[in-house]
Amino acid sequence: MAFYAGLLVLPFMITLSINGAMYVFRNEIDNWYHADLKRVQVQDSQRLAPTAQVASALDAVPGTAVKYTDPADPGASTEITVSTERGKMAVYVNPYNGLVLGAMPDRSTIMWTIRTLHSFKYFGTWTRYVIEIAAGWSILLVGTGTWRWWPRGQKGGIVSVRGKPQRRVFWRDLHAVTGLLVGFFIVFLAVTGMPWSGVWGSKVNEWANGNNFGYPDGVRVNVPMSQQKLDQIAKTSWSLEQAQIPESPVPGGTPITLDDAVASFDRLGLHRGYAVNLPQKPEDMFSGSVYPDDLTQQRVVHLDQYSGQPLLDMGYADYGPLGKWLEWGINTHMGQTFGVLIHAAITAIEGRSTAATRMAGLLVDEWTPERIRDLEASLYIGFNAGGDKPAQPAAADGIGRSIPGPEAHAPRRAACPASPATDPAPTQPDLPDAAPATQPWSITE
């Protein structure tokens, strides 16, 4: 079983390691590749009002503005998401002079493409199930591999590799030692990546957020809740995907402007680079959210679109114990906890070591002549009432020699009862000579 699990997991682990390491540098790569859209010349002048920037975006791309993303630093552009007949478009505006730098379909940057490739969401639902199975098998392989590695009084091959590449013991030790070193990272990345999976992740998310993420009575303002989830209107943290959205009270005045909402978010101290979802209906509100590298700065604030008062203000400190642990794991999985360089190094080492471990495992455990012969015999299926197996073509053992079929090692049954007077005494079939003691694939402890 480990043989087939390894064949399934290996290509996925290598692919995930490559595009995962790339995604760690998402900001750097996006700012370089889309520099004409995302970067501007820093100026001493004050930025234009958000409503003026939205007006410039709508002049260039007619439609309905649905989201305003605050520049994360002085050299960043403002991103305005506009809903059009062709779908949502991301319009980039110079915040200093209102010049529209360009537009592209929403979530179509190179790093968004890498992200959808990493989760296999790019290829549809069923591929996400396959990668979820691969992640589960990788955890099982680490567990069973650790069990097989356990010393049990053995001194060699625990933390050092014995022998030379010409001997099987070398590949056995390489598989065991490298697997032990990277096993923790493989399991950690697999478990922390599971929240994005289609089955396991969605069920755990529903369980962790079973009571509307536990808004405690008396702490939050008692306002009417809509049936809309936060994940349906804005990119949010995993722990808040199931959180319900408050509704603005019955309209009783003039709605505040985007400028007023942005001023309130700034006054409340939201981390730079926050996104503001604009109300589309009378009962909607201004929702500001930001998820920077620093977990403590995660925050979601909903403002009543008429009074401008906060209806909900939730940050990392308000999450439950399970939510905090899961958010920390997700943040670390994305390379935001210990810094991108450390995470990229861990991901690269994990990916290369996983490849080396599995290839060594295939060599030591599976692709031996004896293993191939046994596998060939175990896979034989026949429906012969006489009990004879049809002749099988010779199979190659991968080294240029042919492997006799199973019938070469089993006595054939006579077509009719043998006569002791006329038939010679039955003899045993020729068996292969015993392998020499110095064969290249033997293990010498």
Side-chain angles (χ1 to χ4, degrees):
M1 184 61 71
F3 169 67
Y4 297 106
L7 289 180
L8 170 66
V9 169
L10 180 59
F12 286 106
M13 295 297 289
I14 295 176
T15 302
L16 293 176
S17 298
I18 294 174
N19 52 40
M22 293 178 63
Y23 190 72
V24 169
F25 298 95
R26 55 192 174 280
N27 293 329
E28 291 79 4
I29 294 177
D30 261 348
N31 289 335
W32 164 75
Y33 191 81
H34 302 287
D36 56 330
L37 299 176
K38 288 181 169 288
R39 306 306 298 173
V40 298
Q41 183 69 35
V42 179
Q43 301 180 18
D44 295 331
S45 59
Q46 192 174 7
R47 293 176 179 175
L48 295 178
T51 52
Q53 299 181 52
V54 170
S56 296
L58 294 178
D59 286 341
V61 181
T64 303
V66 295
K67 185 169 67 174
Y68 166 90
T69 303
D70 175 68
D73 60 79
S77 61
T78 302
E79 182 179 338
I80 312 295
T81 305
V82 179
S83 178
T84 70
E85 295 180 354
R86 298 175 297 170
K88 290 183 178 180
M89 299 289 293
V91 185
Y92 298 90
V93 180
N94 188 322
Y96 298 103
N97 54 24
L99 178 66
V100 174
L101 305 174
M104 61 192 308
D106 189 35
R107 296 189 175 185
S108 63
T109 63
I110 184 173
M111 280 296 102
W112 269 110
T113 302
I114 294 296
R115 178 169 177 166
T116 53
L117 285 172
H118 184 72
S119 64
F120 274 58
K121 187 177 180 180
Y122 194 86
F123 304 105
T125 302
W126 286 104
T127 53
R128 298 187 68 189
Y129 294 156
V130 171
I131 200 171
E132 184 174 356
I133 294 173
W137 273 111
S138 67
I139 298 173
L140 182 62
L141 285 173
V142 172
T144 55
T146 303
W147 173 259
R148 295 184 63 185
W149 164 88
W150 201 259
R152 298 182 182 86
Q154 179 182 333
K155 296 181 179 180
I158 305 303
V159 294
S160 61
V161 178
R162 299 165 295 175
K164 298 181 180 180
Q166 291 79 12
R167 301 180 61 192
R168 187 185 180 194
V169 67
F170 172 86
W171 298 105
R172 179 267 176 200
D173 288 358
L174 180 65
H175 177 71
V177 174
T178 57
L180 176 67
L181 294 177
V182 302
F184 169 78
F185 299 106
I186 294 174
V187 171
F188 178 80
L189 291 176
V191 171
T192 55
M194 281 292 196
W196 287 287
S197 62
V199 178
W200 189 93
S202 61
K203 294 304 179 183
V204 172
N205 191 286
E206 292 176 5
W207 175 65
N209 300 286
N211 296 313
N212 194 30
F213 199 72
Y215 296 135
D217 293 335
V219 176
R220 301 302 175 194
V221 180
N222 186 17
V223 296
M225 291 290 184
S226 69
Q227 296 304 311
Q228 198 172 25
K229 306 294 185 181
L230 182 58
D231 186 53
Q232 296 173 350
I233 68 169
K235 175 184 176 295
T236 184
S237 67
W238 181 87
S239 296
L240 289 178
E241 287 181 352
Q242 301 297 321
Q244 289 176 278
I245 304 300
E247 289 183 342
S248 290
V250 177
T254 303
I256 64 174
T257 65
L258 175 61
D259 297 340
D260 298 329
V262 170
S264 295
F265 291 135
D266 289 339
R267 185 171 58 255
L268 291 171
L270 267 70
H271 193 280
R272 306 307 307 185
Y274 59 83
V276 181
N277 285 82
L278 310 181
Q280 305 299 314
K281 297 182 295 184
E283 64 272 17
D284 288 348
M285 66 205 65
F286 288 95
S287 298
S289 57
V290 63
Y291 306 95
D293 292 349
D294 185 359
L295 272 175
T296 62
Q297 296 296 316
Q298 285 191 7
R299 203 161 169 194
V300 176
V301 179
H302 300 303
L303 299 179
D304 179 6
Q305 68 163 308
Y306 300 100
S307 67
Q309 295 300 313
L311 299 176
L312 182 92
D313 187 349
M314 176 172 282
Y316 180 74
D318 300 303
Y319 300 169
L322 177 61
K324 287 183 178 179
W325 184 86
L326 289 170
E327 281 300 326
W328 181 87
I330 292 172
N331 212 56
T332 305
H333 184 98
M334 297 177 66
Q336 299 177 183
T337 301
F338 302 111
V340 295
L341 291 178
I342 295 178
H343 184 80
I346 291 175
T347 305
I349 294 173
E350 183 266 336
R352 296 183 65 180
S353 299
T354 299
T357 301
R358 279 308 307 157
M359 292 303 296
L362 294 177
L363 287 173
V364 70
D365 286 338
E366 281 76 35
W367 298 122
T368 62
E370 296 83 1
R371 176 74 180 198
I372 296 175
R373 188 183 302 116
D374 294 341
L375 183 63
E376 182 191 43
S378 65
L379 292 178
Y380 174 79
I381 300 176
F383 299 93
N384 192 334
D388 291 340
K389 297 180 181 179
Q392 299 290 320
D397 67 353
I399 313 178
R401 295 172 296 185
S402 62
I403 301 176
E407 72 282 358
H409 304 297
R412 297 182 60 85
R413 299 178 59 179
C416 58
S419 171
T422 57
D423 292 345
T427 59
Q428 295 294 328
D430 293 335
L431 297 177
D433 295 333
T438 58
Q439 60 174 322
W441 290 98
S442 63
I443 294 182
T444 304
E445 301 296 344

